[in-house]
């Protein structure tokens, strides 16, 4: 199926950088989406999908409505394309599903906050946003298996590259991450109605700052070595526990332990001087009544 829409009107920044109110502009970009799924044999499916979008770039004030490089009005749209292909199959009489997926996405005019604003005094005019084209490509793996009526396991793993057109890693993106969860449910005996599970989440290192433009002196005109981020948040792995008990057809109680081993880790950062830590070990509970 293909969906297209042409000549959409968007509210885009005014060509006049001194005029804070957005003007109306017309974008003739086509919006597309199509895909195909083929099942050559039972329990196996091959698929491919393609999508294109075009969204307006809207800023909140006049200072952000001009390009940092040229001083002229920003382009009216942020365009993106994505291609995805993979295979999905079932085993164990349909109780287990797994998929392997390759994706590639391109986006123009991707904006990030200008780090120079962090050094401004109160009342100073902020610097405009920074824009760059970015590319993301990589692999994703997923599985969901009911090994027995009581035991189930599911997981996902993704590894990809997220860079600009010059191969520079972008800030705040974990390019490798994965999670797995194992659950056991008692279906008979004194513990019938009780279930418990353990989950593991892994996130790779993330760039703290946006890399500087240009290349280092160590490169050559034919083999440039571009600048990369100067600081990274370390990778982390967190383990969580879950449990619940179905008292009857209406009442259910549950208890959770987050970050079982009290891992000290960082979830994000504004820059190398302003970082945010993740929550320490925590306990939660709930009581649910279903009608």
């Amino acid at each position: 199926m293909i969906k297209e829409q042409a000549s959409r009107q968007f509210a885009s920044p005014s060509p006049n950088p001194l005029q804070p109110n957005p003007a109306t502009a017309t974008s003739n970009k086509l919006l597309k989406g199509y895909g195909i799924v083929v099942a050559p044999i039972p329990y196996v499916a091959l698929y491919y999908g393609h999508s294109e979008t075009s969204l307006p770039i809207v800023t909140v004030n006049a200072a952000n409505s001009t390009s940092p490089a040229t001083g002229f009005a920003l382009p009216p749209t942020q365009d993106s394309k994505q291609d995805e292909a993979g295979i999905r199959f079932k085993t164990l009489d349909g109780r287990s599903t797994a998929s392997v997926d390759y994706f590639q996405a391109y986006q123009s005019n991707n904006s990030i906050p200008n780090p120079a604003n962090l050094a401004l005094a109160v009342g100073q005019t902020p610097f405009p946003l920074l824009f760059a084209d970015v590319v993301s490509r990589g692999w994703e793996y997923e599985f969901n298996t009911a090994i027995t009526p009581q035991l189930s396991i599911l997981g996902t793993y993704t590894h990809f590259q997220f860079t600009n057109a010059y191969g520079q890693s972008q800030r705040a993106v974990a390019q490798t991450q994965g999670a797995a969860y194992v659950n056991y449910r008692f279906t008979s005996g004194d513990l019938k109605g009780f279930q418990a599970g353990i989950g593991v989440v892994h996130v790779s290192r993330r760039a703290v700052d946006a890399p500087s433009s240009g290349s280092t002196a160590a490169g050559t005109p034919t083999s440039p070595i571009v600048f990369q981020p100067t600081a990274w948040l370390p990778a982390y792995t967190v383990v969580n526990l879950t449990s619940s008990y179905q008292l009857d057809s209406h009442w259910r109680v549950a208890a959770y332990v987050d970050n079982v081993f009290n891992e000290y880790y960082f979830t994000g950062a504004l820059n190398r001087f302003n970082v945010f830590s993740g929550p320490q070990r925590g306990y939660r509970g709930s009581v649910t009544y279903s009608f």
Side-chain angles (χ1 to χ4, degrees):
M1 179 173 62
I2 299 178
K3 296 181 179 179
E4 297 187 357
Q5 184 171 354
S7 188
R8 267 186 100 172
Q9 284 196 329
F10 295 129
S12 63
S14 167
N16 182 357
L18 300 179
Q19 180 182 346
N21 296 323
T24 298
T26 299
S27 172
N28 291 317
K29 302 292 184 179
L30 293 177
L31 309 183
K32 302 178 182 179
Y34 55 83
I36 183 173
V37 179
V38 178
I41 59 176
Y43 297 111
V44 175
L46 305 174
Y47 58 89
Y48 168 77
H50 175 86
S51 64
E52 298 181 20
T53 61
S54 183
L55 301 174
I57 296 178
V58 179
T59 56
V60 296
N61 57 49
N64 285 337
S65 66
T66 56
S67 166
T70 65
F72 295 107
L74 296 172
T77 61
Q78 181 183 75
D79 303 327
S80 63
K81 295 181 180 181
Q82 177 169 319
D83 292 281
E84 184 176 14
I87 179 173
R88 178 169 296 173
F89 51 90
K90 294 183 178 181
T91 58
L92 300 178
D93 295 326
R95 292 185 288 107
S96 175
T97 62
S99 64
V100 179
D101 184 281
Y102 178 80
F103 60 90
Q104 177 172 292
Y106 165 83
Q107 185 180 73
S108 67
N109 302 318
N110 181 66
S111 65
I112 61 172
N114 194 322
N117 288 325
L118 296 172
L120 291 180
V122 176
Q124 286 186 290
T125 302
F127 290 98
L129 297 169
L130 301 179
F131 289 82
D133 297 345
V134 293
V135 178
S136 174
R137 59 173 63 92
W139 293 88
E140 183 176 31
Y141 309 87
E142 294 183 351
F143 67 93
N144 188 341
T145 302
I147 300 176
T148 68
Q150 297 80 27
L151 180 63
S152 61
I153 180 173
L154 58 91
T156 179
Y157 175 82
T158 304
H159 178 72
F160 67 105
Q161 292 181 329
F162 183 63
T163 65
N164 61 17
Y166 304 101
Q168 295 173 303
S169 298
Q170 300 301 287
R171 64 181 300 273
V173 176
Q175 300 190 24
T176 299
Q177 49 190 315
Y181 180 72
V182 180
N183 186 79
Y184 189 87
R185 179 169 59 94
F186 292 87
T187 57
S188 61
D190 295 337
L191 292 178
K192 181 179 180 180
F194 176 77
Q195 59 180 318
I198 180 171
V200 180
V201 178
H202 175 77
V203 177
S204 69
R205 69 175 190 165
R206 291 132 292 148
V208 169
D209 52 4
S212 301
S213 61
S215 57
T216 70
T220 65
T222 56
S223 300
I225 301 176
V226 297
F227 287 108
Q228 293 294 342
T230 63
W232 298 79
L233 296 178
Y236 66 86
T237 301
V238 174
V239 178
N240 306 307
L241 297 178
T242 67
S243 63
S244 67
Y245 185 69
Q246 191 73 39
L247 298 173
D248 53 34
S249 59
H250 299 289
W251 290 97
R252 178 178 179 270
V253 295
Y256 310 91
V257 182
D258 301 323
N259 194 1
V260 175
F261 299 108
N262 207 26
E263 178 79 9
Y264 186 78
Y265 62 99
F266 299 105
T267 57
L270 293 176
N271 52 36
R272 62 172 61 214
F273 306 107
N274 295 273
V275 298
F276 309 104
S277 61
Q280 296 179 320
R281 182 190 298 117
Y283 305 90
R284 298 180 291 119
S286 66
V287 177
T288 304
Y289 182 85
S290 303
F291 294 96

